[in-house]
Amino acid sequence: MSTFPDRRMRRLRRTPALRRMVAETHLGAEDLVAPLFVREGITEPQPIASLPGVMQHTRESVRKEVAELAALGVAGVMLFGVPSHKDELGSGAFDSHGIVQATLGDLRHEVGQQMVLITDLCVDEYTSHGHCGIVGADGHVDNDATLALYAKAAVAQADAGSHMVAPSGMMDGQVAAIRAALDGAGHAHIPILAYAVKYASALYGPFRDAVDVQIVGGGDRKGYQQDWRNAREALMELQLDLDEGADIVMVKPAITYLDIIAKVRALTNVPLAAYHVSGEYAMLKAAAANGWIDGPAVALEQLTAVKRAGADVILTYLAREMAEVLR
Ligand code: PBG
């Protein structure tokens, strides 16, 4: 036995080299996926006030951004579309000329082999009412009718060159419906990154500015996204998505749900993703802009925490700046 006091805890913290040798968690560009917004019908990229540093891209500027992210070693991008016209069904989500499908046509040749092109699969950006599906006569989102839209969107995205589809709408049975549609259309090799655990979070506010979404009548998504008072319910969502064939599962948001990430990690061996969402990014940027926190230091600490909790892949608006720091 060592003498009192036992100094084992501090001995290995003495120099940066010692700390690096015993560090348990490492963050790299290969862990990161950058969410990107591409807007139809604009000629100049548009800044998003609540997401400083993030843009609504043109088809041309997104091309450049993706090429630069690939060169920085970022693992992938998640594409979101902002259409110039919205309708009841969100048809831009499954139209072969929709903005994301058109963008994939540009990107697949440019960076097709170097990084993973992921497409968010939902219709809220494309619907006039802002909901993630078809609104029924009773005012609620119709689960089964919506599954048919998601199936069409999945095929349209895969046909256009998506490498991976990421259903985020939280309809029951969406993973199974999308798997069947992809398989039936000759896309059996396209994986599904399932937003398996997605809470009805107030942290999505800035994202809705980014995609110009307002939910009709000041509504919310609590009828399909999860109640943040619940943890066991997340494990049921996880199990269902695994049973339906999810290739990767995601927890969202990230920092507010580290307990859920750790629980999901313990229960599955499929790769686990976590989404550090728009509100988490905006809070960090606002405090940093005021000089109240050291922005890059907090960013590194937060994203490392998400990995430490068990995530393999992190979706984050910080991807580019982190990749620049980490290389
Ligand atoms: C739905 C979707 C949302 C986000 C990703 N996919 C918004 C929502 O559910 O309201 C939010 C991402 C973020 O806040 O960064 N298409």
Side-chain angles (χ1 to χ4, degrees):
M1 270 313 284
S2 52
T3 52
F4 181 83
D6 179 344
R7 292 211 177 80
R8 260 181 306 173
M9 298 321 294
R10 289 194 56 193
R11 219 171 269 141
L12 292 175
R13 293 177 192 153
R14 212 165 64 85
T15 69
L18 282 165
R19 292 194 292 273
R20 185 167 65 124
M21 194 180 88
V22 299
E24 298 172 27
T25 312
H26 300 273
L27 188 73
E30 65 277 13
D31 303 318
L32 306 177
V33 170
L36 297 177
F37 303 104
V38 55
R39 181 166 166 188
E40 195 169 30
I42 54 169
T43 49
E44 287 297 322
Q46 305 292 318
I48 303 158
S50 53
L51 288 175
V54 181
M55 295 284 169
Q56 285 182 334
H57 282 286
T58 66
R59 269 174 73 176
E60 202 43 52
S61 72
V62 82
R63 235 165 130 153
K64 189 163 162 273
E65 179 70 7
V66 170
E68 288 172 16
L69 289 166
L72 284 165
V74 170
V77 294
M78 169 85 93
L79 297 175
F80 293 93
V82 189
S84 37
H85 299 290
K86 304 193 186 213
D87 61 30
E88 287 279 303
L89 294 181
S91 24
F94 47 85
D95 182 340
S96 61
H97 301 293
I99 181 64
V100 163
Q101 285 72 261
T103 302
L104 284 165
D106 302 334
L107 298 178
R108 66 196 297 184
H109 302 295
E110 208 139 324
V111 290
Q113 307 301 317
Q114 292 169 57
M115 62 157 40
V116 185
L117 302 175
I118 311 171
T119 41
D120 181 82
L121 200 170
C122 195
V123 293
D124 63 314
E125 298 90 355
Y126 302 90
T127 54
S128 41
H129 44 71
H131 275 296
C132 294
I134 297 177
V135 180
D138 61 359
H140 292 279
V141 173
D142 182 330
N143 194 84
D144 300 7
T146 299
L147 294 183
L149 293 188
Y150 291 178
K152 286 207 288 187
V155 173
Q157 293 178 347
D159 283 347
S162 175
H163 297 157
M164 184 182 291
V165 300
S168 62
M170 296 302 282
M171 296 302 123
D172 285 338
Q174 64 185 14
V175 173
I178 289 166
R179 184 72 272 155
L182 289 172
D183 291 356
H187 295 301
H189 59 287
I190 298 294
I192 299 175
L193 190 175
Y195 286 71
V197 179
K198 179 174 175 183
Y199 285 92
S201 175
L203 290 162
Y204 309 148
F207 173 92
R208 293 188 192 151
D209 297 339
V211 291
D212 293 336
V213 168
Q214 275 123 35
I215 306 176
V216 70
D220 58 43
R221 304 204 194 293
K222 291 184 180 173
Y224 37 103
Q225 297 180 352
Q226 287 171 238
D227 186 328
W228 32 258
R229 291 172 291 197
N230 299 344
R232 293 193 302 267
E233 185 189 3
L235 306 182
M236 291 179 66
E237 284 280 4
L238 167 72
Q239 197 53 55
L240 285 164
D241 279 11
L242 291 172
D243 292 347
E244 291 177 30
D247 297 280
I248 302 180
V249 292
M250 181 146 75
V251 173
K252 175 184 172 188
I255 293 296
T256 319
Y257 297 87
L258 293 175
D259 57 329
I260 307 296
I261 294 173
K263 283 191 164 89
V264 169
R265 173 75 295 160
L267 284 179
T268 181
N269 291 322
V270 303
L272 171 57
Y275 198 144
H276 187 264
V277 301
S278 58
E280 295 176 306
Y281 175 87
M283 290 193 290
L284 196 153
K285 287 289 172 186
N290 275 298
W292 295 340
I293 61 171
D294 175 343
V298 174
L300 184 61
E301 182 177 336
Q302 287 202 349
L303 298 182
T304 304
V306 174
K307 206 169 171 204
R308 190 189 64 227
D312 304 301
V313 178
I314 306 173
L315 283 90
T316 172
Y317 304 96
L318 296 159
R320 189 196 175 99
E321 58 188 89
M322 276 292 115
E324 282 165 354
V325 173
L326 293 168
R327 81 179 162 159

PDB file of all heavy atoms in Angstrom, residues 27 56 70 88 102 131 145 172 208 212 263 286 294 307 327:
ATOM      1  N   LEU A  27     -11.625  12.723 -29.686  1.00  0.00           N
ATOM      2  CA  LEU A  27     -12.556  13.244 -30.680  1.00  0.00           C
ATOM      3  C   LEU A  27     -11.774  13.554 -31.944  1.00  0.00           C
ATOM      4  O   LEU A  27     -10.703  14.156 -31.889  1.00  0.00           O
ATOM      5  CB  LEU A  27     -13.195  14.526 -30.131  1.00  0.00           C
ATOM      6  CG  LEU A  27     -14.342  15.112 -30.939  1.00  0.00           C
ATOM      7  CD1 LEU A  27     -15.598  14.268 -30.778  1.00  0.00           C
ATOM      8  CD2 LEU A  27     -14.620  16.553 -30.477  1.00  0.00           C
ATOM      9  N   GLN A  56     -27.853  29.279 -45.009  1.00  0.00           N
ATOM     10  CA  GLN A  56     -28.718  28.617 -45.987  1.00  0.00           C
ATOM     11  C   GLN A  56     -27.917  28.687 -47.279  1.00  0.00           C
ATOM     12  O   GLN A  56     -27.647  29.780 -47.787  1.00  0.00           O
ATOM     13  CB  GLN A  56     -30.020  29.386 -46.173  1.00  0.00           C
ATOM     14  CG  GLN A  56     -31.007  29.234 -45.019  1.00  0.00           C
ATOM     15  CD  GLN A  56     -32.299  29.985 -45.295  1.00  0.00           C
ATOM     16  OE1 GLN A  56     -32.317  30.970 -46.046  1.00  0.00           O
ATOM     17  NE2 GLN A  56     -33.386  29.548 -44.682  1.00  0.00           N
ATOM     18  N   ALA A  70     -15.025  17.677 -46.765  1.00  0.00           N
ATOM     19  CA  ALA A  70     -14.403  16.389 -47.126  1.00  0.00           C
ATOM     20  C   ALA A  70     -12.887  16.498 -46.990  1.00  0.00           C
ATOM     21  O   ALA A  70     -12.240  15.608 -46.440  1.00  0.00           O
ATOM     22  CB  ALA A  70     -14.802  15.984 -48.539  1.00  0.00           C
ATOM     23  N   GLU A  88     -49.479  21.019 -48.810  1.00  0.00           N
ATOM     24  CA  GLU A  88     -50.059  20.180 -47.758  1.00  0.00           C
ATOM     25  C   GLU A  88     -49.301  18.873 -47.530  1.00  0.00           C
ATOM     26  O   GLU A  88     -49.186  18.392 -46.414  1.00  0.00           O
ATOM     27  CB  GLU A  88     -51.499  19.818 -48.151  1.00  0.00           C
ATOM     28  CG  GLU A  88     -52.500  20.953 -48.050  1.00  0.00           C
ATOM     29  CD  GLU A  88     -52.979  21.137 -46.618  1.00  0.00           C
ATOM     30  OE1 GLU A  88     -53.504  20.157 -46.058  1.00  0.00           O
ATOM     31  OE2 GLU A  88     -52.809  22.242 -46.078  1.00  0.00           O
ATOM     32  N   ALA A 102     -31.892  17.472 -56.198  1.00  0.00           N
ATOM     33  CA  ALA A 102     -31.074  18.186 -57.181  1.00  0.00           C
ATOM     34  C   ALA A 102     -29.647  18.370 -56.649  1.00  0.00           C
ATOM     35  O   ALA A 102     -28.660  18.183 -57.368  1.00  0.00           O
ATOM     36  CB  ALA A 102     -31.705  19.542 -57.492  1.00  0.00           C
ATOM     37  N   HIS A 131     -45.937  20.553 -40.163  1.00  0.00           N
ATOM     38  CA  HIS A 131     -45.883  19.273 -39.441  1.00  0.00           C
ATOM     39  C   HIS A 131     -45.073  18.253 -40.225  1.00  0.00           C
ATOM     40  O   HIS A 131     -44.867  18.384 -41.435  1.00  0.00           O
ATOM     41  CB  HIS A 131     -47.296  18.747 -39.163  1.00  0.00           C
ATOM     42  CG  HIS A 131     -47.892  19.328 -37.913  1.00  0.00           C
ATOM     43  ND1 HIS A 131     -47.350  19.104 -36.664  1.00  0.00           N
ATOM     44  CD2 HIS A 131     -48.974  20.128 -37.728  1.00  0.00           C
ATOM     45  CE1 HIS A 131     -48.077  19.740 -35.754  1.00  0.00           C
ATOM     46  NE2 HIS A 131     -49.064  20.390 -36.367  1.00  0.00           N
ATOM     47  N   ALA A 145     -50.792   7.257 -43.220  1.00  0.00           N
ATOM     48  CA  ALA A 145     -50.748   8.004 -44.482  1.00  0.00           C
ATOM     49  C   ALA A 145     -49.367   8.636 -44.653  1.00  0.00           C
ATOM     50  O   ALA A 145     -48.827   8.712 -45.759  1.00  0.00           O
ATOM     51  CB  ALA A 145     -51.837   9.075 -44.494  1.00  0.00           C
ATOM     52  N   ASP A 172     -44.734   6.007 -36.040  1.00  0.00           N
ATOM     53  CA  ASP A 172     -44.559   4.588 -35.705  1.00  0.00           C
ATOM     54  C   ASP A 172     -44.417   3.792 -36.997  1.00  0.00           C
ATOM     55  O   ASP A 172     -45.189   3.992 -37.945  1.00  0.00           O
ATOM     56  CB  ASP A 172     -45.769   4.072 -34.916  1.00  0.00           C
ATOM     57  CG  ASP A 172     -45.761   4.564 -33.473  1.00  0.00           C
ATOM     58  OD1 ASP A 172     -44.678   4.937 -32.971  1.00  0.00           O
ATOM     59  OD2 ASP A 172     -46.841   4.566 -32.845  1.00  0.00           O
ATOM     60  N   ARG A 208     -35.612  25.758 -36.836  1.00  0.00           N
ATOM     61  CA  ARG A 208     -36.841  26.117 -37.558  1.00  0.00           C
ATOM     62  C   ARG A 208     -36.677  27.455 -38.270  1.00  0.00           C
ATOM     63  O   ARG A 208     -37.289  27.665 -39.317  1.00  0.00           O
ATOM     64  CB  ARG A 208     -38.033  26.078 -36.601  1.00  0.00           C
ATOM     65  CG  ARG A 208     -38.277  24.625 -36.167  1.00  0.00           C
ATOM     66  CD  ARG A 208     -39.517  24.374 -35.375  1.00  0.00           C
ATOM     67  NE  ARG A 208     -39.455  23.022 -34.804  1.00  0.00           N
ATOM     68  CZ  ARG A 208     -40.032  22.636 -33.682  1.00  0.00           C
ATOM     69  NH1 ARG A 208     -40.754  23.511 -32.982  1.00  0.00           N
ATOM     70  NH2 ARG A 208     -39.921  21.402 -33.246  1.00  0.00           N
ATOM     71  N   ASP A 212     -37.089  27.776 -42.278  1.00  0.00           N
ATOM     72  CA  ASP A 212     -38.317  28.560 -42.469  1.00  0.00           C
ATOM     73  C   ASP A 212     -39.576  27.750 -42.154  1.00  0.00           C
ATOM     74  O   ASP A 212     -40.505  27.684 -42.958  1.00  0.00           O
ATOM     75  CB  ASP A 212     -38.408  29.083 -43.918  1.00  0.00           C
ATOM     76  CG  ASP A 212     -37.332  30.119 -44.212  1.00  0.00           C
ATOM     77  OD1 ASP A 212     -36.835  30.747 -43.254  1.00  0.00           O
ATOM     78  OD2 ASP A 212     -36.968  30.283 -45.391  1.00  0.00           O
ATOM     79  N   LYS A 263     -27.538   5.060 -21.736  1.00  0.00           N
ATOM     80  CA  LYS A 263     -28.443   3.896 -21.621  1.00  0.00           C
ATOM     81  C   LYS A 263     -28.568   3.160 -22.952  1.00  0.00           C
ATOM     82  O   LYS A 263     -28.556   1.936 -23.003  1.00  0.00           O
ATOM     83  CB  LYS A 263     -29.849   4.359 -21.203  1.00  0.00           C
ATOM     84  CG  LYS A 263     -29.974   4.710 -19.727  1.00  0.00           C
ATOM     85  CD  LYS A 263     -31.459   4.888 -19.377  1.00  0.00           C
ATOM     86  CE  LYS A 263     -31.684   4.852 -17.880  1.00  0.00           C
ATOM     87  NZ  LYS A 263     -31.581   6.170 -17.251  1.00  0.00           N
ATOM     88  N   ALA A 286     -23.837  32.130 -28.357  1.00  0.00           N
ATOM     89  CA  ALA A 286     -24.272  33.389 -27.739  1.00  0.00           C
ATOM     90  C   ALA A 286     -23.418  33.713 -26.512  1.00  0.00           C
ATOM     91  O   ALA A 286     -22.970  34.846 -26.332  1.00  0.00           O
ATOM     92  CB  ALA A 286     -25.753  33.296 -27.351  1.00  0.00           C
ATOM     93  N   ASP A 294     -15.327  30.437 -22.973  1.00  0.00           N
ATOM     94  CA  ASP A 294     -14.338  30.241 -24.035  1.00  0.00           C
ATOM     95  C   ASP A 294     -14.990  29.269 -25.030  1.00  0.00           C
ATOM     96  O   ASP A 294     -15.059  28.060 -24.782  1.00  0.00           O
ATOM     97  CB  ASP A 294     -13.070  29.660 -23.396  1.00  0.00           C
ATOM     98  CG  ASP A 294     -11.996  29.290 -24.421  1.00  0.00           C
ATOM     99  OD1 ASP A 294     -12.314  29.174 -25.630  1.00  0.00           O
ATOM    100  OD2 ASP A 294     -10.850  29.083 -23.990  1.00  0.00           O
ATOM    101  N   LYS A 307     -19.287  11.941 -26.861  1.00  0.00           N
ATOM    102  CA  LYS A 307     -18.588  10.710 -27.236  1.00  0.00           C
ATOM    103  C   LYS A 307     -18.346   9.833 -25.998  1.00  0.00           C
ATOM    104  O   LYS A 307     -18.537   8.621 -26.036  1.00  0.00           O
ATOM    105  CB  LYS A 307     -17.268  11.061 -27.919  1.00  0.00           C
ATOM    106  CG  LYS A 307     -16.863   9.946 -28.837  1.00  0.00           C
ATOM    107  CD  LYS A 307     -15.733  10.254 -29.749  1.00  0.00           C
ATOM    108  CE  LYS A 307     -15.341   8.940 -30.424  1.00  0.00           C
ATOM    109  NZ  LYS A 307     -13.959   8.974 -30.877  1.00  0.00           N
ATOM    110  N   ARG A 327      -7.302  18.888 -36.497  1.00  0.00           N
ATOM    111  CA  ARG A 327      -6.430  18.205 -37.462  1.00  0.00           C
ATOM    112  C   ARG A 327      -4.952  18.405 -37.201  1.00  0.00           C
ATOM    113  O   ARG A 327      -4.543  19.197 -36.411  1.00  0.00           O
ATOM    114  CB  ARG A 327      -6.807  18.594 -38.872  1.00  0.00           C
ATOM    115  CG  ARG A 327      -6.280  19.901 -39.356  1.00  0.00           C
ATOM    116  CD  ARG A 327      -6.743  20.070 -40.765  1.00  0.00           C
ATOM    117  NE  ARG A 327      -6.637  21.433 -41.158  1.00  0.00           N
ATOM    118  CZ  ARG A 327      -6.591  21.772 -42.450  1.00  0.00           C
ATOM    119  NH1 ARG A 327      -6.655  20.844 -43.369  1.00  0.00           N
ATOM    120  NH2 ARG A 327      -6.504  23.041 -42.796  1.00  0.00           N
TER     121      ARG A 327
END
